Amino acid sequence: MQIDGIAVLDHGGVGPDVLLLHGANRTALDWEPVRLHLTGLRLVAMDLRGHGRSASVCSYEWEDHLADVDAVIRTLGLRRPWLVGHSLGGMIAVRYAASRGCAGVVDLDGFGGGVPTLYPGLTPQEVRERRAEQIALYAGAPAATDPGQAEARGRAMAERFGWDAESEAARARRSQGRPLPGELPALMNPLEGYDLFAEVRGLRVPALLVAGARRPDLGHLPQRVRELTGALVRGIERELKALPDCVGVVRMESAGHMVHLDEPARVGELIREFVKRSGN
């Protein structure tokens, strides 16, 4: 199904409406392993703009993403849905909850990194320089636009991290290598100056933040980028601990950034219980 250029998977179901938002360079199929554990909910997943089978775009600003969510909610008649997002999708969910309102929000390891205060030990100038180096590094990566190559990469990633190989291959086919690496600066631009934790502290709806506690493997990165990422991990841990008690925080020791793929059953249980508990 296409809604204003956005590809949508309406999985149906009986219960509270839940809209699922994937992360950057992923697709709506990211939710397949988790969806099996989200019984008692009406589930809808969408490909973010420029991703998967959604239309190609030239703008990835917050208002563009929020307008896409508006269109899906309006067209499908979703009733004050819960928003669940991973990584970039988690940040879009929080932004939507703050600016539009919804029943509640679940953010799976989507904490940004666009403010220098999230990088203890680095000056604002060092953060700006190293973030530019990091984005340039990933933007210069070779594109995987050949379907066979993309699927092979997906299967290799699944084998490396212990994910379901068929699900990851299907996601890679749906992705079609989009967005291209060269689009990364535009995709990441809205994060500059965005303080997710300040936004979360101001929310007036229930919020659950789930963090993958397993440290990422940084050995393949240049030293300056490794130091940047290490500082960000420490800054996020500090901010999570400082959140008020009204914000739910779960740290998953057995999962990394892709918490929903590393621990789909546990993540599904957390989402289901959060909606049930907070909706009463």
Side-chain angles (χ1 to χ4, degrees):
M1 177 192 306
Q2 290 279 332
I3 298 175
D4 292 356
I6 298 298
V8 176
L9 299 177
D10 186 349
H11 298 294
V14 177
D17 293 339
V18 176
L19 180 58
L20 304 166
L21 308 172
H22 64 80
N25 301 110
R26 307 291 298 181
T27 78
L29 292 184
D30 255 31
W31 299 104
E32 289 304 289
V34 185
R35 191 165 63 84
L36 303 174
H37 308 283
L38 292 176
T39 55
L41 303 171
R42 191 271 176 94
L43 301 174
V44 175
M46 56 184 273
D47 286 338
L48 299 183
R49 57 178 32 234
H51 292 69
R53 295 182 181 173
S54 289
S56 297
V57 296
C58 58
S59 176
Y60 293 97
E61 297 303 315
W62 289 126
E63 277 303 316
D64 297 316
H65 289 299
L66 301 189
D68 294 339
V69 173
D70 278 336
V72 172
I73 291 174
R74 180 177 62 253
T75 302
L76 294 183
L78 301 184
R79 303 173 303 279
R80 193 167 168 77
W82 299 78
L83 299 189
V84 177
H86 168 250
S87 196
L88 175 61
M91 289 180 270
I92 294 170
V94 170
R95 282 255 64 207
Y96 193 93
S99 63
R100 307 285 209 271
C102 61
V105 60
V106 179
D107 180 354
L108 305 177
D109 216 73
F111 306 130
V115 288
T117 53
L118 270 180
Y119 300 84
L122 296 178
T123 67
Q125 180 65 24
E126 288 174 326
V127 171
R128 285 192 295 271
E129 292 174 353
R130 297 187 192 203
R131 277 179 60 82
E133 293 171 16
Q134 182 184 47
I135 291 174
L137 176 68
Y138 291 121
T145 54
D146 176 79
Q149 182 186 32
E151 184 172 338
R153 284 190 184 183
R155 290 184 181 279
M157 185 175 292
E159 182 176 353
R160 178 184 176 190
F161 293 108
W163 304 335
D164 180 77
E166 291 306 316
S167 292
E168 195 62 15
R171 185 213 61 79
R173 288 193 297 270
R174 185 179 181 90
S175 174
Q176 304 174 64
R178 304 170 58 241
L180 297 173
E183 296 178 75
L184 185 63
L187 186 62
M188 295 293 103
N189 184 62
L191 274 61
E192 294 301 320
Y194 176 57
D195 189 339
L196 176 121
F197 291 100
E199 189 109 277
V200 168
R201 286 191 290 270
L203 289 179
R204 297 185 178 183
V205 299
L208 172 65
L209 275 57
V210 181
R214 192 177 68 218
R215 293 295 183 98
D217 179 9
L218 307 177
H220 62 291
L221 297 174
Q223 181 177 348
R224 285 169 57 84
V225 177
R226 289 202 306 271
E227 293 171 351
L228 177 77
T229 306
L232 178 60
V233 169
R234 295 192 300 274
I236 288 172
E237 290 177 349
R238 180 198 65 204
E239 293 296 322
L240 288 172
K241 291 177 181 177
L243 287 171
D245 292 340
C246 60
V247 178
V249 176
V250 175
R251 298 177 79 258
M252 299 189 66
E253 301 294 336
S254 59
H257 177 57
M258 307 296 284
V259 289
H260 58 315
L261 300 186
D262 289 336
E263 295 287 353
R266 176 65 176 139
V267 168
E269 178 187 13
L270 285 171
I271 295 169
R272 194 175 63 248
E273 290 302 313
F274 174 71
V275 171
K276 179 180 178 181
R277 181 177 64 253
S278 302
N280 291 334

Short mmCIF file of all heavy atoms in Angstrom, two decimals, residues 61-62 91 95 111-119 124 127-128 131 135 185 187-199 201 232:
data_model
loop_
_atom_site.label_atom_id
_atom_site.label_comp_id
_atom_site.label_asym_id
_atom_site.label_seq_id
_atom_site.Cartn_x
_atom_site.Cartn_y
_atom_site.Cartn_z
N GLU A 61 13.98 16.47 6.50
CA GLU A 61 13.81 17.28 7.70
C GLU A 61 12.74 16.68 8.61
O GLU A 61 11.90 15.89 8.18
CB GLU A 61 13.45 18.72 7.32
CG GLU A 61 14.53 19.43 6.52
CD GLU A 61 15.87 19.47 7.25
OE1 GLU A 61 15.88 19.77 8.47
OE2 GLU A 61 16.91 19.17 6.62
N TRP A 62 12.78 17.08 9.89
CA TRP A 62 11.82 16.53 10.84
C TRP A 62 10.39 16.69 10.36
O TRP A 62 9.58 15.74 10.43
CB TRP A 62 11.97 17.22 12.20
CG TRP A 62 13.21 16.89 12.98
CD1 TRP A 62 14.11 17.77 13.48
CD2 TRP A 62 13.69 15.58 13.36
NE1 TRP A 62 15.12 17.11 14.15
CE2 TRP A 62 14.87 15.77 14.09
CE3 TRP A 62 13.21 14.28 13.16
CZ2 TRP A 62 15.61 14.70 14.62
CZ3 TRP A 62 13.94 13.22 13.68
CH2 TRP A 62 15.11 13.43 14.40
N MET A 91 13.68 8.43 17.20
CA MET A 91 13.74 9.89 17.34
C MET A 91 12.54 10.55 16.66
O MET A 91 11.97 11.52 17.18
CB MET A 91 15.05 10.41 16.77
CG MET A 91 16.25 10.05 17.63
SD MET A 91 17.81 10.66 16.95
CE MET A 91 18.28 9.27 15.91
N ARG A 95 9.84 12.95 18.49
CA ARG A 95 9.52 14.26 17.92
C ARG A 95 8.02 14.37 17.67
O ARG A 95 7.41 15.41 17.91
CB ARG A 95 10.27 14.46 16.60
CG ARG A 95 11.72 14.83 16.75
CD ARG A 95 11.97 16.30 16.45
NE ARG A 95 11.30 17.15 17.42
CZ ARG A 95 10.90 18.39 17.17
NH1 ARG A 95 11.07 18.91 15.96
NH2 ARG A 95 10.32 19.12 18.11
N PHE A 111 19.01 7.71 20.15
CA PHE A 111 19.32 8.78 21.09
C PHE A 111 20.06 9.95 20.46
O PHE A 111 20.50 10.86 21.16
CB PHE A 111 20.12 8.21 22.26
CG PHE A 111 19.45 7.05 22.94
CD1 PHE A 111 20.12 5.87 23.18
CD2 PHE A 111 18.11 7.13 23.29
CE1 PHE A 111 19.49 4.80 23.79
CE2 PHE A 111 17.45 6.06 23.90
CZ PHE A 111 18.15 4.88 24.15
N GLY A 112 20.22 9.95 19.17
CA GLY A 112 20.80 11.11 18.49
C GLY A 112 22.29 11.21 18.66
O GLY A 112 23.02 10.24 18.52
N GLY A 113 22.75 12.37 19.00
CA GLY A 113 24.18 12.64 19.08
C GLY A 113 24.49 13.98 18.46
O GLY A 113 25.64 14.25 18.09
N GLY A 114 23.48 14.83 18.33
CA GLY A 114 23.66 16.09 17.63
C GLY A 114 24.02 17.27 18.50
O GLY A 114 24.13 18.39 18.00
N VAL A 115 24.21 17.03 19.83
CA VAL A 115 24.60 18.13 20.71
C VAL A 115 25.94 17.78 21.37
O VAL A 115 26.14 16.64 21.82
CB VAL A 115 23.52 18.41 21.78
CG1 VAL A 115 22.30 19.06 21.15
CG2 VAL A 115 23.11 17.14 22.50
N PRO A 116 26.87 18.74 21.45
CA PRO A 116 28.20 18.45 21.99
C PRO A 116 28.20 17.95 23.42
O PRO A 116 29.12 17.23 23.83
CB PRO A 116 28.91 19.81 21.89
CG PRO A 116 28.20 20.53 20.80
CD PRO A 116 26.77 20.11 20.91
N THR A 117 27.18 18.30 24.22
CA THR A 117 27.14 17.87 25.61
C THR A 117 27.01 16.36 25.76
O THR A 117 27.22 15.82 26.85
CB THR A 117 25.98 18.55 26.35
OG1 THR A 117 24.76 18.33 25.61
CG2 THR A 117 26.23 20.05 26.47
N LEU A 118 26.67 15.67 24.67
CA LEU A 118 26.57 14.20 24.73
C LEU A 118 27.92 13.51 24.57
O LEU A 118 27.97 12.28 24.58
CB LEU A 118 25.62 13.70 23.63
CG LEU A 118 24.14 13.58 23.97
CD1 LEU A 118 23.36 13.06 22.77
CD2 LEU A 118 23.91 12.67 25.17
N TYR A 119 28.99 14.28 24.45
CA TYR A 119 30.32 13.71 24.22
C TYR A 119 31.29 14.15 25.32
O TYR A 119 32.11 15.05 25.12
CB TYR A 119 30.86 14.16 22.85
CG TYR A 119 29.99 13.74 21.69
CD1 TYR A 119 28.89 14.50 21.31
CD2 TYR A 119 30.27 12.58 20.97
CE1 TYR A 119 28.09 14.12 20.24
CE2 TYR A 119 29.48 12.20 19.90
CZ TYR A 119 28.38 12.97 19.54
OH TYR A 119 27.60 12.60 18.49
N PRO A 124 33.23 21.16 21.99
CA PRO A 124 32.27 21.30 20.88
C PRO A 124 32.94 21.32 19.52
O PRO A 124 32.42 20.73 18.56
CB PRO A 124 31.58 22.64 21.20
CG PRO A 124 31.64 22.74 22.68
CD PRO A 124 32.97 22.15 23.05
N VAL A 127 33.89 17.80 18.59
CA VAL A 127 32.70 17.04 18.22
C VAL A 127 32.28 17.37 16.79
O VAL A 127 32.00 16.46 15.99
CB VAL A 127 31.55 17.32 19.20
CG1 VAL A 127 30.24 16.69 18.69
CG2 VAL A 127 31.88 16.78 20.59
N ARG A 128 32.24 18.65 16.45
CA ARG A 128 31.84 19.05 15.10
C ARG A 128 32.79 18.45 14.06
O ARG A 128 32.34 17.92 13.02
CB ARG A 128 31.82 20.57 14.99
CG ARG A 128 30.62 21.23 15.65
CD ARG A 128 30.51 22.69 15.25
NE ARG A 128 31.64 23.48 15.74
CZ ARG A 128 31.67 24.07 16.93
NH1 ARG A 128 30.64 23.95 17.75
NH2 ARG A 128 32.72 24.78 17.30
N ARG A 131 32.41 14.51 13.97
CA ARG A 131 31.14 14.10 13.37
C ARG A 131 31.18 14.27 11.86
O ARG A 131 30.66 13.43 11.11
CB ARG A 131 29.98 14.89 13.97
CG ARG A 131 29.49 14.32 15.29
CD ARG A 131 28.35 15.13 15.87
NE ARG A 131 27.18 15.20 15.01
CZ ARG A 131 26.25 14.25 14.92
NH1 ARG A 131 26.37 13.15 15.63
NH2 ARG A 131 25.21 14.41 14.14
N ILE A 135 30.57 11.19 9.24
CA ILE A 135 29.57 11.19 8.18
C ILE A 135 30.22 11.03 6.81
O ILE A 135 29.73 10.29 5.95
CB ILE A 135 28.73 12.48 8.25
CG1 ILE A 135 27.85 12.45 9.51
CG2 ILE A 135 27.86 12.64 7.00
CD1 ILE A 135 27.09 13.72 9.76
N PRO A 185 24.53 12.61 4.47
CA PRO A 185 24.55 13.95 5.08
C PRO A 185 23.17 14.58 5.19
O PRO A 185 22.83 15.17 6.22
CB PRO A 185 25.46 14.74 4.13
CG PRO A 185 26.39 13.72 3.55
CD PRO A 185 25.52 12.49 3.37
N LEU A 187 20.32 12.93 5.30
CA LEU A 187 19.53 12.12 6.23
C LEU A 187 19.86 12.46 7.68
O LEU A 187 18.99 12.48 8.54
CB LEU A 187 19.80 10.64 5.96
CG LEU A 187 18.98 9.60 6.72
CD1 LEU A 187 17.51 9.73 6.40
CD2 LEU A 187 19.47 8.19 6.42
N MET A 188 21.14 12.74 7.94
CA MET A 188 21.58 13.03 9.30
C MET A 188 21.46 14.51 9.67
O MET A 188 21.58 14.86 10.86
CB MET A 188 23.04 12.59 9.47
CG MET A 188 23.27 11.10 9.36
SD MET A 188 22.49 10.17 10.75
CE MET A 188 21.02 9.51 9.93
N ASN A 189 21.21 15.37 8.72
CA ASN A 189 21.20 16.81 8.99
C ASN A 189 20.22 17.22 10.10
O ASN A 189 20.56 18.08 10.93
CB ASN A 189 20.88 17.58 7.70
CG ASN A 189 20.94 19.08 7.91
OD1 ASN A 189 21.98 19.63 8.24
ND2 ASN A 189 19.82 19.75 7.70
N PRO A 190 19.01 16.65 10.17
CA PRO A 190 18.09 17.07 11.24
C PRO A 190 18.61 16.80 12.65
O PRO A 190 18.16 17.43 13.61
CB PRO A 190 16.82 16.25 10.96
CG PRO A 190 16.90 15.90 9.52
CD PRO A 190 18.36 15.72 9.24
N LEU A 191 19.56 15.88 12.78
CA LEU A 191 20.08 15.54 14.11
C LEU A 191 20.99 16.62 14.67
O LEU A 191 21.20 16.68 15.89
CB LEU A 191 20.85 14.22 14.07
CG LEU A 191 20.02 12.93 14.22
CD1 LEU A 191 18.99 12.80 13.11
CD2 LEU A 191 20.93 11.72 14.26
N GLU A 192 21.54 17.48 13.79
CA GLU A 192 22.45 18.51 14.27
C GLU A 192 21.73 19.49 15.18
O GLU A 192 20.76 20.12 14.79
CB GLU A 192 23.06 19.26 13.07
CG GLU A 192 23.98 18.40 12.22
CD GLU A 192 25.14 17.82 13.00
OE1 GLU A 192 25.71 18.54 13.85
OE2 GLU A 192 25.47 16.64 12.77
N GLY A 193 22.19 19.57 16.41
CA GLY A 193 21.57 20.47 17.39
C GLY A 193 20.34 19.90 18.07
O GLY A 193 19.74 20.58 18.91
N TYR A 194 19.96 18.68 17.74
CA TYR A 194 18.75 18.10 18.32
C TYR A 194 19.09 17.36 19.61
O TYR A 194 19.89 16.42 19.61
CB TYR A 194 18.08 17.14 17.34
CG TYR A 194 16.87 16.44 17.93
CD1 TYR A 194 15.81 17.17 18.45
CD2 TYR A 194 16.81 15.05 17.98
CE1 TYR A 194 14.71 16.53 19.00
CE2 TYR A 194 15.70 14.41 18.52
CZ TYR A 194 14.66 15.15 19.03
OH TYR A 194 13.57 14.53 19.57
N ASP A 195 18.48 17.76 20.71
CA ASP A 195 18.71 17.16 22.03
C ASP A 195 17.52 16.27 22.37
O ASP A 195 16.50 16.73 22.87
CB ASP A 195 18.88 18.26 23.07
CG ASP A 195 19.32 17.73 24.43
OD1 ASP A 195 19.12 16.52 24.69
OD2 ASP A 195 19.86 18.52 25.22
N LEU A 196 17.65 14.99 22.07
CA LEU A 196 16.55 14.06 22.31
C LEU A 196 16.18 13.98 23.78
O LEU A 196 15.00 13.91 24.14
CB LEU A 196 16.89 12.67 21.78
CG LEU A 196 15.79 11.64 22.09
CD1 LEU A 196 15.25 11.02 20.83
CD2 LEU A 196 16.27 10.58 23.08
N PHE A 197 17.17 13.99 24.65
CA PHE A 197 16.88 13.80 26.07
C PHE A 197 16.11 14.99 26.64
O PHE A 197 15.23 14.82 27.50
CB PHE A 197 18.17 13.54 26.84
CG PHE A 197 18.76 12.20 26.52
CD1 PHE A 197 19.82 12.09 25.63
CD2 PHE A 197 18.23 11.05 27.06
CE1 PHE A 197 20.36 10.85 25.31
CE2 PHE A 197 18.75 9.80 26.76
CZ PHE A 197 19.82 9.70 25.87
N ALA A 198 16.40 16.19 26.17
CA ALA A 198 15.61 17.36 26.58
C ALA A 198 14.17 17.20 26.11
O ALA A 198 13.22 17.55 26.82
CB ALA A 198 16.23 18.64 26.03
N GLU A 199 13.99 16.68 24.89
CA GLU A 199 12.64 16.47 24.35
C GLU A 199 11.88 15.45 25.18
O GLU A 199 10.70 15.63 25.50
CB GLU A 199 12.75 16.01 22.90
CG GLU A 199 11.43 15.96 22.17
CD GLU A 199 11.30 17.04 21.13
OE1 GLU A 199 10.94 18.19 21.49
OE2 GLU A 199 11.57 16.74 19.96
N ARG A 201 12.32 14.66 28.32
CA ARG A 201 11.96 15.21 29.63
C ARG A 201 10.72 16.11 29.56
O ARG A 201 10.04 16.29 30.57
CB ARG A 201 13.15 15.98 30.21
CG ARG A 201 14.27 15.08 30.73
CD ARG A 201 15.29 15.87 31.53
NE ARG A 201 16.07 16.76 30.68
CZ ARG A 201 17.21 16.42 30.09
NH1 ARG A 201 17.70 15.18 30.24
NH2 ARG A 201 17.88 17.28 29.34
N LEU A 232 30.25 9.23 22.93
CA LEU A 232 28.79 9.26 22.80
C LEU A 232 28.15 8.17 23.65
O LEU A 232 27.12 8.41 24.31
CB LEU A 232 28.40 9.09 21.33
CG LEU A 232 26.89 9.05 21.04
CD1 LEU A 232 26.21 10.33 21.49
CD2 LEU A 232 26.65 8.81 19.55
#
